[in-house]
Amino acid sequence: MPWTLCAEPRALAPLRLVCFPHAGGWPFFFQSWSKELTDFEVHSVCYPGRAEPVAEEPVRELVPMARLIAEETAASTDGRRLVLFGHSMGAIVAYETARALEARNCQVDRLIVSGARAPQLMAAGSPKVPRGEQAVIETVTELGGTDPELLRDPDFRELLLPAITADFEMLGAYVQTDRAPLECAVTALVADADPRVTVAEAAAWRESTRGPFRLRTVPGGHFYLASDPPFDAVREDCGR
C-alpha cells in the first residue's frame, strides 16, 4: 500500500495538502475536504492496518514511519506548494515528516498542527496517552474520534482495535530527538474546550520553527474538526 491516498487528483491545483489522521484514524476522515478546498489536491495518509490489506502489521515507531512517508512524498514532488496538516497524533507525525522532508531539501510551505501539544512537551510514558485496549476504548469514546457503536462491535474490535492500540503505544513512546527548528511556517490550532490540549501547550509550537508562526483558537472539543473543519484557516494561512 502507498502511504497516501488521493480521492480526487487535481494536477492543476497550485497546492498539495497532505493530511495526517489522529490515533486510530482512517484516511477517509479527510475524504470530503477536497470538495471545499478547491485550490488544493488533498492527500490522506493511510497508517498500516487501515485499508486493504486490513491485516497489515501496525507500525510501532513514529519517527521511522514519518521518514517513510517523507520519502514517498518527496518522490512525488512536482513543484507545487506543499502543506502538511495533522490532527492529534497526526500533528506529531506531520511534524516529523516535515523535518524529514527538510532534511531532504524538499521544501514544505506550511505545517498546520491541530489538537496537539508541541513536540518538546511530549514525554515517553505520559499519563495523557492511554495504555491497554480498555483505556484506549475509553479515551476514543470520550474524545469522539470513533463511532461508539463500532467500538461495541466485537468483530470491529477484533479486526481493528490492535491497530488503534498500536497507534497510542507509538505515540506514548515518542520523544523528540532533536530541537533543531523547522524552516517552514507553522499554524497551531486548538479548540477552546479541548480536554487534552491547553492553549499554552498549543502555543508552544512556536518553538518548532524559525519561520512565521500563528496560533488559532477555535470553538469545540478535541474533535471539533469532525463537525466544523478548519477550511477557512487552511485557506487563509496558505494564502488562498
Side-chain angles (χ1 to χ4, degrees), residues 101-171:
L101 284 166
E102 289 193 348
R104 290 171 165 269
N105 294 316
C106 181
Q107 183 177 359
V108 177
D109 191 73
R110 182 173 290 269
L111 169 66
I112 304 175
V113 293
S114 167
R117 288 172 286 147
Q120 70 271 19
L121 303 180
M122 304 289 288
S126 168
K128 288 194 173 186
V129 179
R131 299 183 181 280
E133 289 190 354
Q134 189 54 43
V136 167
I137 290 171
E138 291 171 359
T139 298
V140 296
T141 300
E142 172 197 349
L143 297 179
T146 305
D147 187 341
E149 290 297 322
L150 287 177
L151 293 172
R152 286 191 282 269
D153 184 323
D155 291 334
F156 173 86
R157 290 171 62 155
E158 180 181 359
L159 190 63
L160 294 174
L161 195 55
I164 298 174
T165 303
D167 282 355
F168 280 105
E169 290 175 355
M170 178 172 63
L171 182 61

Side-chain angles (χ1 to χ4, degrees), residues 3-4 18-20 45 47 62-74 82-86 89-108 110-111 113 174 182 184 205:
W3 282 103
T4 61
V18 182
C19 298
F20 295 71
V45 171
Y47 305 136
L62 191 149
V63 174
M65 180 176 73
R67 288 173 180 159
L68 291 172
I69 297 169
E71 182 180 350
E72 180 179 291
T73 303
L82 175 63
V83 179
L84 308 184
F85 178 100
M89 181 190 82
I92 300 298
V93 183
Y95 162 72
E96 288 291 346
T97 300
R99 289 178 60 188
L101 284 166
E102 289 193 348
R104 290 171 165 269
N105 294 316
C106 181
Q107 183 177 359
V108 177
R110 182 173 290 269
L111 169 66
V113 293
Y174 171 79
L182 297 167
C184 66
W205 279 95

Side-chain angles (χ1 to χ4, degrees), residues 164-196:
I164 298 174
T165 303
D167 282 355
F168 280 105
E169 290 175 355
M170 178 172 63
L171 182 61
Y174 171 79
V175 177
Q176 188 188 45
T177 57
D178 184 359
R179 292 291 182 89
L182 297 167
E183 300 294 335
C184 66
V186 173
T187 294
L189 294 162
V190 61
D192 57 11
D194 190 332
R196 310 285 290 188

Side-chain angles (χ1 to χ4, degrees), residues 4-6 10 13-20 30 33-34 36-45 73 80-86 110-112 230-231 234-235 238:
T4 61
L5 303 174
C6 180
R10 287 185 180 141
L15 299 99
R16 294 175 67 215
L17 175 66
V18 182
C19 298
F20 295 71
F30 297 103
W33 284 34
S34 184
E36 293 290 335
L37 298 172
T38 54
D39 283 337
F40 297 77
E41 182 178 78
V42 179
H43 297 250
S44 297
V45 171
T73 303
R80 289 185 286 177
R81 292 165 57 199
L82 175 63
V83 179
L84 308 184
F85 178 100
R110 182 173 290 269
L111 169 66
I112 304 175
F231 296 138
V234 173
R235 291 191 197 97
C238 296

